[in-house]
């Protein structure tokens, strides 16, 4: 009996977009401090996280299936606008389309 393992790819891009409308403290609590904070002017900031996802991909040969590890590193940027003493997330960008 051959058991096939499927790699589960994290949908980090979708998760990060889910922070839109929330306090910037929410992704900070979930992912830790950002690697970079950029002042954009007009009471706006960009916060960046380098998020690495990975898993195992099955590679089938003529007689065997081998699991091969993979990883992908993506920079996700959340933009936020000042609201009182807080910043509210208003947008999301990622380094490339494969960072889902």
């Amino acid at each position: 009996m051959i058991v096939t393992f499927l790699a589960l790819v994290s949908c980090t891009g979708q998760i990060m977009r889910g922070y839109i409308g929330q306090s910037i403290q929410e992704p900070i609590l979930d992912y830790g401090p950002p690697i970079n904070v950029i002042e954009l002017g007009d009471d706006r900031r960009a916060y960046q996280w380098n998020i690495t996802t990975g898993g195992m991909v099955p590679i089938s040969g003529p007689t065997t299936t081998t699991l091969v590890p993979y990883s992908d590193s993506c920079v996700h940027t959340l933009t936020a606008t000042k609201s009182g003493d807080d910043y509210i997330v208003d947008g999301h960008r990622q380094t490339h389309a494969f960072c889902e």
Side-chain angles (χ1 to χ4, degrees):
M1 177 179 190
I2 297 175
V3 178
T4 303
F5 293 92
L6 300 176
L8 297 176
V9 178
S10 173
C11 297
T12 310
Q14 290 176 340
I15 293 168
M16 295 300 268
R17 281 188 291 278
Y19 290 114
I20 293 174
Q22 296 184 38
S23 166
I24 194 63
Q25 296 303 314
E26 295 302 318
I28 291 172
L29 289 172
D30 292 342
Y31 291 96
I35 60 168
N36 202 12
V37 178
I38 303 164
E39 294 291 338
L40 301 175
D42 294 331
D43 288 332
R44 295 190 70 235
R45 289 181 178 172
Y47 298 80
Q48 296 180 315
W49 286 265
N50 185 17
I51 298 174
T52 302
T53 58
M56 303 294 278
V57 176
I59 305 295
S60 296
T63 59
T64 62
T65 298
T66 304
L67 293 175
V68 178
Y70 77 91
S71 68
D72 189 23
S73 180
C74 297
V75 175
H76 290 269
T77 302
L78 292 176
T79 56
T81 302
K82 188 167 181 66
S83 177
D85 292 337
D86 199 2
Y87 280 82
I88 304 302
V89 177
D90 60 15
H92 169 258
R93 293 182 180 192
Q94 58 200 34
T95 50
H96 54 78
F98 300 110
C99 288
E100 285 296 325

